[in-house]
């Protein structure tokens, strides 16, 4: 984001006021549309440090203006911040000679930017606390003083996510000043001046109701968002004096230490947990309704990052279910505020809704360019009209009105609204199917999706896992599989399964991660938490602070007969982290006699943290065997701990090293019955499918094979890349998965798939960027991918010009869902803000439905755009021809064609639903493609020719009476020329709606849209009656000439039928590719899409085969250039 400073110039401002008065307010409207021009006219450039206004250029190239505000800080308040922060905080102010301490800042999209002298720039206020370490956060445990809190509140602003709700009057003014409605208002004034009272009144009423509905919906959505975003509650804050104060959450600032009640509350800010444990429902942010356990942040020199330290961070807007272990009395936990207002996770999501990024979609860009082309035709029409009308004896005012009337005809005011009709219908159908959308323009984008990424667990496979079995392992090897873990003998293995989790009790029932819940229940142990008798439990376990106790039930089996049933207490938890791929706990036995640390996680990670002599020699082979069966495999380990130390303060790095390998836990994750059929449907539709998961690569491959992403006759190649270390250089290797021993890659037929892990993907991006695009072209399985890697993968696919869809459960996939062109979250929430689309369906069957609706909506938008363009050209030609012969269309004739015919047809044209089958071809999004421009050119040519023929046929009749050339316009009505042109053009409006309405293969055929079909028949019947038998009443009000020659009237109907037949046949020929033969005369241009070019390159037999199998490649960055 780029910012430039501007200083207010008084004489320029007064000059602008004068010009605004002289231009009757037109200058103010221009300034409203282009704030940058307003700033340039009233201000002069200056250094940012002296600016009164800031001109902001965002990443999309759009300009915004923000006013620089100042606020006087309390005298001497800076010294209260201490030596560490004084320098940084002094950068936020500017000291004037009068010794006043002023804070300079501006607000943009809800975020506060403050002036920093050291950086000579306005920076986000969050920069003041972005370098806080975990140790710094613990330093705030004693709280802030009143003066410190007041100063921070002045600098950071109030802790509120304020979504302004404007009054209906304010919204009306903004809506009317919109260029679209302003053009409509201009058109209505022009038509009224031109005495088209019926037509202008009807357009006014339509616009009035349209604006009314729009204002109601806008305000309704704003009120809903305002109520959802704004959260004000009372919070208990710890002061530096040691006392606790009850304050409004609006007064919270980063650094405040807050007490969290035991019975929970809605979090009004982002906070790092310092003491105690909290059970939190983060469904509002992630769409995942499973409660999450938050554990205290340990004091260290590590930089605190909320996304990395999610397991220790309470996010704004999430529901704190319960808090415990952090204090006495009603205090359940203690946390320090790290983010307020729009600088919270919730604020970030609300900001993304209020200020969405513009959608880079070709159809929308081309639509704007097409309006420029229509404007060019309008310019030609105005010049022609001026030349023709200047020969008549009319005033300059009347001449200008007539000429400007052409502009309102060529550029139809209803065009922007018309092309959104298909999207509105699609959104309504999706809602009925349980798919909710918070960004309607993305529905059209779904129609162009060419690649869809799927998460595995909970998306392709069932959410719940069943324990399949366990195997104990050690230096001697693995034991046999035990299918029921409760039958394991007492020892570290069963204790690890019973203790290594983050489950908590809620109303007497254990809740938490489904995997951990299944694992714990399979042991048969029971969970007890420290409550009111926490002191007794601490004493029972040697004085250690106990978080939870696992008790082994009595057994009746022989080998349990002599065993003790001693409970085990958890005194420290290190929650699971996707980046670390593991979790661990520290436990003690009764009396604190012994202590053990247990760890579980991905087998590769756990094995790397174990002493190598304890890992079975056949570890890799066994892991590969279980994973190939589609089992989710976890490794377990343990080690003794020193009981003389404070176990609750143990650091994670010390606990999770030199472990002893225990064994493997296998869990079966069944593929959802709908997954295979959906993947098959997408593959038949030439839509590429990719799996992106955090699971083991072998498990992921097995699931990919079972759901049809990788077929039995297709080969598999593993991509193995290593990063640079002190001893080794980066390497890249493509290893063949030889299932039958006879696998041969079919390069030309794409008969193979690549599978890559997260670590290899990172090494590939960093050290082998030249191979990355090719790997992305052929990779189908991405395993052990961290959440940020999923987001990066989506963006890398987009760099290859793919339109990327992403389907996940909304938890670890939030970043990828929001980065994708079409993100679908499988959630029970009606409108999860984790992604643009939310489906209540718990399987991926929503994906083909969404793509079909997207294609239908895009095709409808295309049809409506073409229809509105053709409609404007029909009327344009009619008016110019009638201008030439000294007449024009009447008031009710305009009303009849624009409202009764065109508007009604446009409204119901988009009502047809999507095709039941996904087609292998995608609909076009290019309005300037040869078939689109070619068809429009031919149709308009036939229409113009038809109207000219109708005029000449009329003039060639024996009974033809020439017009009075001394009178112009509607004063000449009724006349023969007008009635002939009006009769033919009325049929043209009707049959062109049939011609441009596309059906197969993306939309149901025309006869499925019964309302549209019935309307066509009714309009055709009415138009036929007006031509053949109008009757005295309709002939009078429509100002039609009374033709007595029935043969002539039948000839007009026949001409209209011939016109329809020609246009219909031309459209059919274009649909089957007739215009493509013209392309043979021109050199063929290669596709601009990178993935198509890469695919052609990889399939080219003349190019050396890729990938190089079973060869070790080295990074070009580390190529040896000489040897000494």
């Amino acid at each position: 984001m780029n910012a430039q400073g501007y200083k207010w110039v008084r004489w320029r401002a007064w000059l602008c006021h004068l010009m605004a008065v002289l231009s009757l307010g037109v200058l103010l409207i221009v300034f409203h549309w282009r704030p940058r021009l307003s700033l340039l006219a009233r201000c002069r450039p200056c250094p940012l440090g002296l600016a009164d206004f800031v001109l902001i250029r965002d990443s999309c190239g759009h300009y915004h203006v923000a006013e620089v505000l100042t606020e006087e800080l309390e005298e001497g308040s800076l010294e209260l911040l201490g030596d560490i922060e004084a320098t940084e905080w002094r950068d936020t102010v500017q000291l004037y000679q009068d010794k006043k301490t002023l804070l300079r800042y501006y607000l943009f999209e809800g975020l506060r930017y403050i002036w920093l002298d050291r950086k000579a720039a306005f920076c986000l206020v969050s920069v003041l606390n972005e370098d806080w370490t975990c140790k710094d956060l613990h330093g705030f445990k004693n709280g802030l003083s009143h003066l410190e809190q007041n100063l921070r509140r002045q600098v950071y602003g109030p802790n509120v996510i304020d979504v302004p709700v404007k009054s209906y009057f304010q919204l009306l003014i903004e809506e009317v000043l919109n260029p679209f409605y302003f053009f409509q208002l201009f058109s209505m004034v022009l038509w009224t001046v031109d005495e088209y009272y019926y037509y202008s009144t009807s357009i006014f009423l339509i616009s009035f109701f349209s604006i009314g509905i729009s204002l109601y919906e806008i305000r309704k959505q704003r009120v809903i968002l305002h109520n959802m975003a704004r959260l004000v509650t009372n919070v208990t804050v710890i002061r530096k004096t040691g006392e606790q104060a009850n304050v409004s959450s609006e007064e919270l600032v980063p650094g405040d230490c807050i007490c969290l009640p035991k019975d929970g509350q809605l979090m009004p800010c982002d906070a790092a947990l310092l003491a105690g444990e909290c059970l939190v429902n983060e469904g509002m942010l992630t769409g995942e309704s499973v409660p999450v356990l938050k554990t205290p942040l340990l004091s260290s020199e590590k930089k605190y990052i909320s996304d990395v330290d999610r397991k220790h961070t309470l996010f704004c807007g999430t529901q704190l279910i319960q808090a415990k272990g952090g204090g006495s009395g009603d205090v359940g936990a203690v946390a320090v505020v790290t983010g307020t207002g729009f600088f919270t996770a919730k604020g970030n999501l609300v900001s993304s809704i209020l200020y969405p990024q513009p959608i880079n979609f070709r159809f929308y860009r081309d639509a704007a360019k097409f309006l420029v082309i229509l404007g060019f035709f309008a310019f030609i029409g105005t010049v022609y009209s001026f030349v023709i009308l200047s020969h008549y004896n009319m005033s300059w005012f009347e001449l200008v009105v007539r000429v400007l009337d052409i502009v309102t005809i060529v550029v139809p005011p209803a065009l922007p609204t018309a092309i959104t009709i298909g999207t509105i219908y699609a959104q309504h159908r999706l809602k009925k199917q349980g798919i909710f959308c918070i960004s309607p323009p993305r529905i059209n984008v779904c129609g162009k999706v060419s690649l869809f990424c799927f998460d595995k667990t909970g998306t392709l496979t069932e959410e719940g896992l069943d324990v399949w079995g366990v195997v104990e392992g050690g230096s001697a090897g693995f034991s046999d599989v035990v299918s029921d873990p409760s039958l394991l003998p007492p020892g570290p293995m069963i204790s690890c399964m019973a203790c290594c989790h983050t489950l908590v009790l809620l109303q007497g029932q254990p809740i938490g991660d489904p995997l951990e819940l299944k694992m714990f229940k399979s042991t048969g142990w029971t969970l007890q938490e420290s409550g009111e008798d926490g002191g007794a439990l601490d004493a029972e376990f040697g004085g250690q602070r106990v978080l939870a106790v696992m008790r082994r039930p009595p057994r009746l089996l022989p080998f349990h007969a002599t065993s003790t049933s001693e409970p085990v207490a958890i005194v420290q938890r290190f929650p699971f982290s996707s980046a670390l791929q593991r979790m661990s706990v520290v436990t003690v036995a009764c009396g604190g006699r012994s202590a053990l640390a247990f760890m579980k996680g991905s087998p590769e990670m756990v094995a790397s943290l174990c002493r190598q002599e304890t890992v079975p020699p056949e570890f890799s082979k066994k892991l590969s065997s279980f994973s190939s069966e589609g089992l989710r495999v976890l490794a377990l380990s343990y080690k003794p701990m020193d009981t003389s130390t404070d176990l609750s303060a143990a650091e994670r790095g010390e606990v999770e090293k030199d472990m002893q390998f225990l064994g493997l836990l296998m869990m079966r994750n069944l593929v959802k019955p709908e997954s295979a059929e959906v993947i098959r449907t997408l593959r038949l539709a030439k839509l590429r499918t990719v799996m992106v998961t955090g699971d083991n690569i072998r498990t992921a491959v097995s699931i990919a094979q079972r759901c049809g992403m990788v077929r039995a006759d297709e080969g598999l190649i593993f991509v193995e890349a290593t990063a640079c270390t002190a001893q080794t250089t980066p390497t890249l290797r493509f290893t063949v998965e030889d299932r039958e021993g006879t696998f041969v890659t079919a390069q030309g037929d794409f008969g193979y798939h690549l599978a890559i892990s997260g670590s290899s993907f990172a090494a590939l991006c960093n050290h082998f960027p030249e191979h990355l695009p090719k790997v992305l072209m052929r990779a189908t399985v991405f395993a052990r991918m961290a959440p940020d890697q999923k987001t990066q993968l989506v963006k890398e696919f987009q760099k290859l010009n793919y339109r990327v869809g992403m389907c996940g459960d909304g938890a670890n996939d939030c970043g990828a869902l929001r980065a994708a062109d079409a993100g679908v979250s499988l959630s029970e929430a009606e409108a999860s803000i984790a992604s643009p689309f939310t489906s209540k369906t718990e399987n991926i069957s929503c994906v083909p439905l969404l793509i079909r609706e997207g294609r239908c909506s895009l095709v409808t938008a295309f049809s409506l755009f073409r229809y509105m363009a053709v409609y404007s050209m029909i009327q344009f030609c009619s008016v110019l021809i009638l201008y030439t012969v000294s007449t024009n269309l009447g008031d009710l004739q305009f009303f009849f064609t624009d409202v009764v015919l065109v508007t009604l047809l446009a409204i119901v044209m988009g009502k047809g639903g999507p095709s039941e089958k996904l087609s292998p071809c995608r609909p076009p999004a290019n309005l300037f493609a040869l078939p689109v421009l070619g068809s429009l050119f031919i149709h308009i040519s036939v229409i113009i020719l038809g109207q000219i023929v109708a005029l000449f046929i009329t003039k060639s009749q024996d009974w033809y009476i020439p017009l009075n050339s001394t009178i112009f316009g509607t004063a000449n009505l009724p006349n023969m020329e007008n009635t002939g042109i009006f009769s033919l053009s009325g049929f043209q409006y009707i049959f062109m709606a049939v011609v441009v309405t596309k059906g197969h293969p993306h939309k149901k055929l025309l006869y499925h849209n019964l309302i549209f079909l019935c309307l066509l028949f009714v309009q055709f019947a009415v138009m036929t009656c007006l031509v053949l038998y109008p009757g005295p009443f309709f002939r009078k009000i429509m100002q039609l000439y009374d033709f007595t020659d029935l043969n002539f009237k039948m000839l007009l109907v026949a001409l209209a039928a011939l016109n329809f037949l020609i246009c219909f046949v031309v459209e059919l020929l274009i649909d089957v590719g007739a215009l493509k033969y013209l392309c043979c005369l021109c050199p063929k241009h290669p596709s601009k899409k990178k993935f198509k070019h890469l695919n052609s390159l990889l399939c080219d037999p003349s190019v050396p085969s890729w990938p190089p199998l079973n060869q070790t490649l080295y990074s070009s960055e580390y190529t040896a250039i000489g040897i000494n």
Side-chain angles (χ1 to χ4, degrees), residues 826-1120:
L826 304 183
S827 168
E828 293 183 0
E830 184 167 304
S832 168
I833 50 181
S835 64
F837 298 94
T838 304
S839 173
K840 284 190 173 182
T841 308
E842 296 182 351
N843 55 67
I844 62 172
S845 61
C846 59
V847 170
L849 175 62
L850 181 61
I851 296 174
R852 287 193 289 113
E853 285 290 0
R855 291 182 175 184
C856 175
S857 175
L858 184 57
V859 167
T860 302
F862 245 79
S863 299
L864 280 164
F865 193 94
R866 294 172 66 210
Y867 180 63
M868 297 302 289
V870 171
Y871 141 69
S872 66
M873 295 309 294
I874 293 173
Q875 200 168 83
F876 176 63
C877 297
S878 301
V879 171
L880 288 187
I881 290 172
L882 293 176
Y883 272 10
T884 307
V885 295
S886 306
T887 187
N888 198 0
L889 293 172
D891 187 4
L892 280 175
Q893 290 175 348
F894 272 119
F895 173 81
F896 178 77
T897 56
D898 285 14
V899 178
V900 178
L901 295 182
V902 176
T903 302
L904 291 180
L905 284 172
I907 289 173
V908 300
M909 187 187 292
K911 200 167 178 60
S915 174
E916 296 295 334
K917 185 179 178 182
L918 265 179
S919 171
C921 64
R922 292 179 296 153
N926 182 9
L927 282 172
F928 294 98
L930 180 61
V932 179
L933 291 181
S935 66
L936 282 176
F937 176 77
I938 294 173
H939 294 328
I940 292 170
S941 300
V942 172
I943 286 166
I944 295 173
L945 183 62
Q947 293 190 12
I948 293 174
V949 169
L951 180 65
F952 279 108
I953 290 175
T954 305
K955 286 189 172 186
S956 65
Q957 300 301 311
D958 297 335
W959 37 258
Y960 171 72
I961 302 174
L963 273 171
N964 183 357
S965 59
T966 62
I967 303 175
F968 179 82
T970 55
N972 260 331
L973 296 178
N975 58 66
M976 296 182 181
E977 291 88 340
N978 167 276
T979 305
I981 295 294
F982 171 77
S983 300
L984 178 63
S985 64
F987 284 114
Q988 288 175 335
Y989 293 123
I990 297 171
F991 71 66
M992 284 309 299
V994 178
V995 171
V996 301
T997 299
K998 296 291 184 181
H1000 183 78
H1002 305 298
K1003 193 175 176 182
K1004 288 181 179 178
L1005 296 176
L1006 184 63
Y1007 60 82
H1008 287 282
N1009 191 351
L1010 294 178
I1011 298 178
F1012 182 54
L1013 202 61
C1014 292
L1015 182 62
L1016 284 172
F1017 283 123
V1018 170
Q1019 289 184 342
F1020 181 77
V1022 170
M1023 197 66 220
T1024 304
C1025 289
L1026 284 177
V1027 174
L1028 299 180
Y1029 307 104
F1033 175 75
F1034 288 106
R1035 189 167 58 243
K1036 181 180 179 181
I1037 66 170
M1038 296 295 293
Q1039 296 177 289
L1040 298 175
Y1041 188 84
D1042 184 15
F1043 289 117
T1044 57
D1045 189 349
L1046 182 61
N1047 291 331
F1048 170 73
K1049 292 190 281 188
M1050 291 298 294
L1051 186 59
L1052 286 178
V1053 176
L1055 180 61
L1058 179 62
N1059 199 332
F1060 168 66
L1061 183 63
I1062 294 173
C1063 290
F1064 190 77
V1065 171
V1066 166
E1067 192 69 20
L1068 283 179
L1069 291 175
I1070 291 174
D1071 281 345
V1072 298
L1075 288 181
K1076 292 183 179 178
Y1077 293 108
L1078 297 178
C1079 298
C1080 300
L1081 304 176
C1082 306
K1084 187 176 181 181
H1085 297 286
S1087 174
K1088 293 182 180 179
K1089 295 190 182 297
K1090 295 179 182 178
F1091 74 87
K1092 289 186 177 180
H1093 175 70
L1094 268 173
N1095 189 56
S1096 301
L1097 192 67
L1098 291 174
C1099 294
D1100 190 349
S1102 63
V1103 177
S1105 63
W1106 188 93
L1109 301 177
N1110 300 322
Q1111 301 176 30
T1112 301
L1113 306 178
Y1114 297 94
S1115 173
S1116 57
E1117 297 176 356
Y1118 296 87
T1119 303

Side-chain angles (χ1 to χ4, degrees), residues 133 151 261 267 277 283 303 344 356 440 465 512 549 619 733 748 770 801 856 886 932 1014 1021 1065 1104 1115:
T133 64
L151 172 62
M267 285 299 299
E277 291 185 336
K303 182 178 177 181
T344 61
L465 297 169
V549 176
F619 168 78
R733 187 176 178 85
E770 69 277 11
N801 302 130
C856 175
S886 306
V932 179
C1014 292
V1065 171
S1115 173

